[in-house]
Amino acid sequence: MKKYIVLLFISLFGFAQQTPAPKQSKSILILGAKAHLGNGKVIENSLISIIDGKIANIGDATVMKPAKHDIVIEASGKHVYPGFIAPNSTLGLVEIDAVRASDDESEIGQFNPHVRSIIAYNAESKLVETTRPNGVLLAQITPRGGRIPGTSSIVQLDAWNWEDASIKTDDGIHLNWPRSYSRAGWWAEPGGIEMNKNYDPQVKAIQEYFDNAFAYLGSKNTKKDIPYEAMKGLQSGEKTLFVNANGEKEIIDAVLFKKKNNIKNMTIVGGYYAFKVGALLKENNVSVLLNRVHSLPLLEDEDVNLPYKNAKLLVDAGVLVGLQNAGDMERMQTRNLPFYAGTCAAWGLSKEQALQLITGNSAKILGIDKQYGTLESGKSATLFISEGDALDMKTNIISFAFIDGRQISLESHHTELYQRYKGKFEQQKK
């Protein structure tokens, strides 16, 4: 029996992550591509110089005279984009849902701010490498479960281990806000809406936990409390409080909670009805990471296209908006992130505004915008070259991708299978 178990695990994990690229050693020049900067601007005929992992220079190729580089990539007719960012992701925390030993996304207990997702991150996950051929090169690795699941960190998706992958550790605390109501029944036969009679006590329990944590942090305790220690940085702005909430009441209560507790940075995760309180969010500098765009409306009498329009409604209200992908099969679906942005472009936003949802805006929300998210001189050379529009699944065909100036592999288990079965059918034609 043990022999068969070993064989099963070999078959499940037999395909390892592609070998991470070595540090950039040669200067690279990308010429002629249409550069989408990730801040709403475009350079039609661009020149991008990459030296020592940074963008040394970027501008109009018709004006700038390129210096000599070791490698020149002629990219006329192609497009250059900043690496896409996947916030609120469980990539690398779960490999196969049905294999318990590969599932490390949550801990027992309700209040776990000290649980650090980064140390459970598996940089050699097969699922991580499937995101890169579509341009997703960065992710916020986020725990799940409980009222406070823990602390997230941000990684680049081409590394030997979590230490190499980390670009910002312990960036934020995640809080699952209680629901004021719930729906009875199940998805095939939904029932009515039921009020949550425990909503107020649940909110009170959150407030008490924060009161105790901040009281501890403001005192001179000789005995360390590790969970409370993890709450340090929320009031100073070193960490962001990411609040999972969708309802209008829940979002309003979360904003009031921010003000009451002097929390500097807050982001609403989910935010299905955030558009109803856009002015409140803007006034209090609260950003939103929207639910998966390719979803059905929450209520049967709502506009079926509301999930597609949500981003446009919030952008028009002046709210800083990004996209995230939590939900069923979320790790496998991470590769579809650019196409969610493309759907937002089809429903009101311009293509460059939609691009910002997964580049510049997400970088600002996650606090990594000084180095990532846009194509600018001095920033990390984390970018890719696409044959066409990267927000369209028909034309998102990536020929080169770089993380911190390192040219990374675009191969994955998926591409290996594609080549294998393509060869099979070519043999059958002969």
Side-chain angles (χ1 to χ4, degrees):
M1 182 65 183
K2 289 183 179 179
K3 179 181 178 181
Y4 294 112
I5 292 173
V6 171
L7 289 174
L8 172 64
F9 271 84
I10 289 174
S11 68
L12 289 175
F13 299 104
F15 292 88
Q17 174 86 337
Q18 294 294 326
T19 301
K23 185 177 180 180
Q24 183 192 4
S25 59
K26 296 182 178 181
S27 59
I28 300 170
L29 183 67
I30 302 173
L31 274 177
K34 182 176 182 178
H36 305 261
L37 305 188
N39 57 7
K41 299 179 181 178
V42 172
I43 300 175
E44 293 292 338
N45 183 6
S46 69
L47 175 155
I48 303 174
S49 169
I50 303 174
I51 300 175
D52 295 331
K54 302 283 186 181
I55 299 175
N57 215 342
I58 182 169
D60 191 334
T62 61
V63 176
M64 301 174 66
K65 185 177 180 181
K68 186 176 180 180
H69 285 68
D70 298 318
I71 300 171
V72 177
I73 300 174
E74 293 288 348
S76 297
K78 299 182 181 181
H79 301 253
V80 176
Y81 294 87
F84 298 151
I85 304 168
N88 191 35
S89 172
T90 54
L91 270 176
L93 297 183
V94 183
E95 193 70 4
I96 301 173
D97 291 321
V99 179
R100 187 174 180 181
S102 74
D103 187 335
D104 203 6
E105 67 177 355
S106 63
E107 294 291 342
I108 61 173
Q110 288 296 305
F111 293 90
N112 295 310
H114 58 299
V115 171
R116 303 177 67 225
S117 62
I118 188 62
I119 62 174
Y121 174 68
N122 175 20
E124 294 191 344
S125 167
K126 286 196 300 181
L127 296 170
V128 168
E129 69 181 16
T130 65
T131 70
R132 301 191 309 234
N134 280 357
V136 181
L137 306 182
L138 304 169
Q140 181 195 38
I141 308 306
T142 306
R144 299 283 190 259
R147 187 62 67 201
I148 298 181
T151 302
S152 58
S153 291
I154 302 163
V155 300
Q156 51 87 2
L157 300 179
D158 183 66
W160 289 103
N161 49 50
W162 69 262
E163 292 94 340
D164 294 339
S166 301
I167 61 175
K168 186 178 182 181
T169 57
D170 305 329
D171 69 294
I173 300 287
H174 292 256
L175 168 63
N176 291 318
W177 197 264
R179 294 182 181 181
S180 61
Y181 68 91
S182 62
R183 287 187 292 175
W186 60 303
W187 68 268
E189 296 179 1
I193 295 175
E194 297 178 352
M195 298 300 296
N196 177 10
K197 297 177 181 179
N198 295 317
Y199 179 76
D200 289 337
Q202 289 169 346
V203 172
K204 184 180 178 182
I206 295 172
Q207 184 61 64
E208 288 177 351
Y209 190 86
F210 275 71
D211 286 342
N212 292 336
F214 293 150
Y216 164 85
L217 294 172
S219 64
K220 297 180 179 179
N221 288 286
T222 55
K223 186 178 179 181
K224 278 197 171 185
D225 186 296
I226 295 175
Y228 288 165
E229 287 283 342
M231 301 286 281
K232 187 183 298 181
L234 286 177
Q235 291 181 314
S236 65
E238 295 173 42
K239 291 180 180 177
T240 298
L241 182 62
F242 293 90
V243 180
N244 288 269
N246 283 297
E248 183 178 359
K249 174 176 172 55
E250 289 87 337
I251 294 170
I252 292 172
D253 288 347
V255 173
L256 296 175
F257 181 83
K258 172 185 186 290
K259 295 172 70 175
K260 179 178 180 180
N261 293 280
N262 298 314
I263 295 169
K264 188 172 182 181
N265 297 323
M266 176 182 281
T267 296
I268 298 296
V269 180
Y272 185 83
Y273 290 113
F275 69 92
K276 294 187 176 183
V277 291
L280 177 70
L281 295 173
K282 181 182 178 183
E283 179 186 344
N284 289 277
N285 196 29
V286 176
S287 53
V288 177
L289 289 172
L290 274 175
N291 275 327
R292 186 183 298 174
V293 172
H294 294 173
S295 301
L296 292 172
L298 289 182
L299 301 177
E300 61 183 13
D301 58 347
E302 287 178 339
D303 182 356
V304 71
N305 299 314
L306 181 57
Y308 310 151
K309 301 174 181 177
N310 240 333
K312 165 70 171 174
L313 296 171
L314 285 168
V315 168
D316 286 350
V319 178
L320 181 63
V321 187
L323 299 182
Q324 54 99 26
N325 181 56
D328 293 338
M329 300 181 66
E330 61 181 87
R331 290 164 294 282
M332 294 72 97
Q333 299 259 23
T334 304
R335 61 186 179 178
N336 291 328
L337 187 67
F339 312 135
Y340 301 156
T343 297
C344 293
W347 288 88
L349 293 180
S350 69
K351 274 293 175 70
E352 300 311 315
Q353 285 177 316
L355 176 64
Q356 287 179 270
L357 301 179
I358 55 174
T359 55
N361 286 9
S362 288
K364 288 178 182 177
I365 291 170
L366 301 184
I368 58 171
D369 53 305
K370 289 184 179 180
Q371 288 297 323
Y372 299 92
T374 56
L375 302 180
E376 298 179 54
S377 297
K379 287 193 174 184
S380 169
T382 298
L383 51 88
F384 64 89
I385 301 173
S386 175
E387 300 294 317
D389 181 359
L391 304 189
D392 186 335
M393 64 178 64
K394 288 183 179 180
T395 54
N396 182 328
I397 304 170
I398 296 177
S399 49
F400 295 90
F402 302 87
I403 293 178
D404 296 328
R406 300 177 296 113
Q407 184 179 345
I408 66 170
S409 170
L410 294 172
E411 295 299 314
S412 70
H413 185 41
H414 292 173
T415 59
E416 289 172 358
L417 290 176
Y418 170 77
Q419 292 299 332
R420 177 184 177 185
Y421 288 102
K422 179 182 177 184
K424 172 190 174 183
F425 290 113
E426 286 175 350
Q427 288 178 0
Q428 292 176 345
K429 289 179 180 178
K430 295 178 181 179

